[in-house]
Amino acid sequence: MLHLGTATGSRTTATTAATTATTGTTAPAETPGVPGAPTEPEPCDLVTVPARQGLEAVDILRRGADQEAVGPVLHDGACATLGFLVPPGTAQAWDVPGSACTQTDGRGLRLPAEPPVQGSGWLLPPADDTPVTDPAVLRAALDQAARLIEAADNRR
């Protein structure tokens, strides 16, 4: 699973092995309306899920009727898990079975251009218009993805 080097705690019901990671460095972003002026990127927590469920959830979110915004999504090097960046504080109430939400310390994870976890890459890279995924929207997509996967597996 993807875990951040700045993690101070997490709520989890996941059963897959963890991959140790470190955070990357962040180049300062520009302040909107002020070219060249540095600003701090948004802090965030990280929800990790098995790749199959995560890919299905990304698909659900991207094709949904509401066209809900999907924030940056990481995949680990072996593609065993996906990590959705969510607002800071999400980990305090995250209780979705089969997933984990890593809480960052008080500083928060910053969104660098390079993936913040060693051995990972961006499935969906950071974008200015979608800094993170809404946790309620993600929860609903993960639930729907789990039901679709269960239905597909039961048809075999």
Side-chain angles (χ1 to χ4, degrees):
M1 239 187 242
L2 300 169
H3 287 280
L4 306 176
T6 58
T8 59
S10 68
R11 296 196 40 132
T12 182
T13 53
T15 57
T16 55
T19 300
T20 305
T22 59
T23 57
T25 58
T26 304
E30 290 187 8
T31 302
V34 184
T39 185
E40 289 292 316
E42 294 293 318
C44 55
D45 286 355
L46 182 73
V47 171
T48 53
V49 297
R52 185 176 179 200
Q53 184 180 14
L55 290 169
E56 190 68 44
V58 167
D59 190 42
I60 290 165
L61 292 170
R62 293 186 83 182
R63 73 172 195 268
D66 296 336
Q67 295 296 312
E68 294 290 349
V70 182
V73 179
L74 287 165
H75 64 84
D76 65 6
C79 283
T81 60
L82 291 185
F84 293 82
L85 279 71
V86 294
T90 299
Q92 294 171 346
W94 192 259
D95 61 355
V96 176
S99 69
C101 188
T102 303
Q103 179 181 12
T104 60
D105 63 15
R107 297 176 307 227
L109 167 70
R110 305 297 176 181
L111 297 178
E114 294 297 316
V117 180
Q118 283 183 333
S120 69
W122 291 115
L123 177 66
L124 297 174
D128 292 336
D129 60 340
T130 312
V132 293
T133 301
D134 179 290
V137 171
L138 178 58
R139 180 185 303 268
L142 290 172
D143 184 49
Q144 184 178 353
R147 289 192 314 269
L148 289 171
I149 290 168
E150 182 179 3
D153 287 352
N154 287 337
R155 290 189 55 111
R156 291 185 184 173

